[in-house]
Amino acid sequence: MLPEVPSNLVAIVAEELDSTQDQLSEDFLSSLPEHIEALLLVTRHQTAGHGREGRVWFSPDDSALAFSLAVRVKDPRPLGHWPLLIGWAKARTLASWVPFNTLDLKWPNDLLLDGKKVSGSLCSMHQIRGSMWVRMGIGINVGPMKFPSDLDGIATTLAAHTQKSVTRQKVLEALIDSILEDCGELGADDLLRNYAQASSIVQETPISWKENGVEHSGITRGLDADGALLCEEEGKLRPLHVSEISLLRPNSI
Ligand code: BTN
């Protein structure tokens, strides 16, 4: 499962790992020679994948794509743009298998397919020996896979929605291309515009979120220039700086 990669990208395939995100540590990145611009770590069997808020990430053998990609940042962006870049790259890539309008981005970077989660991501920034790195951890339910009962109804797979041949290898190759291209070429305005086109949720959607243990709710009103989700709560418009929102639509996550 090794994609064709540019010469300044190191790619490592591990048969089995606990978590690609944990293994792609700052120590690991600091040991890289200066000419390396990106590092991909992918595993066939992720045994202890995790998601946001400490949740377990379900990665069954052979049908879940689990990888982490660290990229040396050449052109700085607002921090809040990185999760959006990942989300947009995932949406435009998976649109090769399913109609674009069946995909939706749940801010900041969950990808939904027919309203169910098909992909989640982690994103963190790291200053290492004078370079800024962005570290992305991406899980995609390529499928086919059977979900445990707590995920049934809220998660789905790409395989369940396409007649085209889909493998982890093909999705990985296409997604790495998209991410590296967007990191290098996609300007801030285009990113925000593309993201907003791919996400019905950033406009006029009732949501809730937690801040310091307190539950809030409001209606989404687009993105601000930093990539924060704008939300109207009790008549006041404010940018959200949280890692997770919930949709207050019937049957949604
Ligand atoms: C979420 O939706 O909460 C984020 C899920 C992120 C899962 C991926 S799988 C590859 C990488 N390794 C991990 O342990 N997590 C991320």
Side-chain angles (χ1 to χ4, degrees), residues 18-22 46 48-52 55 57 59 65-68 110 117 119-122 137-139 244:
D18 47 4
S19 155
T20 58
Q21 195 72 350
D22 292 348
Q46 183 171 248
H50 56 85
R52 288 193 302 266
R55 279 190 302 261
W57 180 253
S59 303
L65 174 58
F67 70 92
S68 293
D110 280 354
K117 185 155 163 172
S119 169
S121 311
L122 300 172
I138 299 181
E244 181 102 348

Side-chain angles (χ1 to χ4, degrees), residues 8-235:
N8 52 3
L9 166 68
V10 173
I12 302 170
V13 184
E15 187 57 32
E16 183 174 296
L17 273 187
D18 47 4
S19 155
T20 58
Q21 195 72 350
D22 292 348
Q23 294 298 329
L24 204 58
S25 61
E26 288 198 352
D27 280 353
F28 201 119
L29 293 174
S30 359
S31 67
L32 293 176
E34 288 293 323
H35 72 279
I36 299 300
E37 301 294 341
L39 183 84
L40 167 68
L41 179 58
V42 58
T43 184
R44 289 194 181 81
H45 310 291
Q46 183 171 248
T47 55
H50 56 85
R52 288 193 302 266
E53 316 282 331
R55 279 190 302 261
V56 169
W57 180 253
F58 177 65
S59 303
D61 294 354
D62 302 326
S63 58
L65 174 58
F67 70 92
S68 293
L69 175 68
V71 179
R72 202 189 290 266
V73 175
K74 289 213 191 90
D75 303 310
R77 297 170 184 269
L79 293 186
H81 282 208
W82 288 104
L84 306 190
L85 185 146
I86 299 171
W88 164 246
K90 295 195 299 188
R92 76 181 182 96
T93 304
L94 266 56
S96 301
W97 282 275
V98 292
F100 189 67
N101 64 5
T102 60
L103 295 164
D104 208 348
L105 282 164
K106 177 168 167 268
W107 185 90
N109 57 19
D110 280 354
L111 186 61
L112 310 186
L113 178 49
D114 271 352
K116 296 179 182 175
K117 185 155 163 172
V118 69
S119 169
S121 311
L122 300 172
C123 179
S124 55
M125 308 302 296
H126 304 270
Q127 182 76 41
I128 296 168
R129 285 196 283 125
S131 286
M132 181 64 94
W133 288 79
V134 54
R135 181 178 60 146
M136 317 166 201
I138 299 181
I140 301 200
N141 303 332
V142 175
M145 65 176 76
K146 179 147 176 46
F147 291 106
S149 55
D150 57 324
L151 296 180
D152 229 7
I154 58 170
T156 193
T157 67
L158 189 52
H161 292 260
T162 185
Q163 304 294 324
K164 297 182 184 168
S165 144
V166 58
T167 62
R168 292 187 298 174
Q169 172 96 25
K170 283 185 188 171
V171 176
L172 177 65
E173 283 181 3
L175 186 51
I176 294 296
D177 280 353
S178 299
I179 293 173
L180 293 179
E181 186 177 285
D182 289 349
C183 283
E185 291 170 21
L186 189 60
D189 290 349
D190 286 338
L191 171 62
L192 293 177
R193 187 175 325 108
N194 292 345
Y195 187 96
Q197 271 166 12
S199 173
S200 75
I201 290 160
V202 299
Q203 287 289 356
E204 317 306 326
T205 302
I207 61 163
S208 66
W209 67 94
K210 258 195 178 157
E211 257 173 323
N212 305 322
V214 179
E215 191 82 27
H216 295 257
S217 62
I219 309 285
T220 61
R221 301 282 191 223
L223 298 168
D224 75 4
D226 292 329
L229 184 61
L230 290 169
C231 204
E232 190 176 329
E233 183 184 24
E234 293 172 353

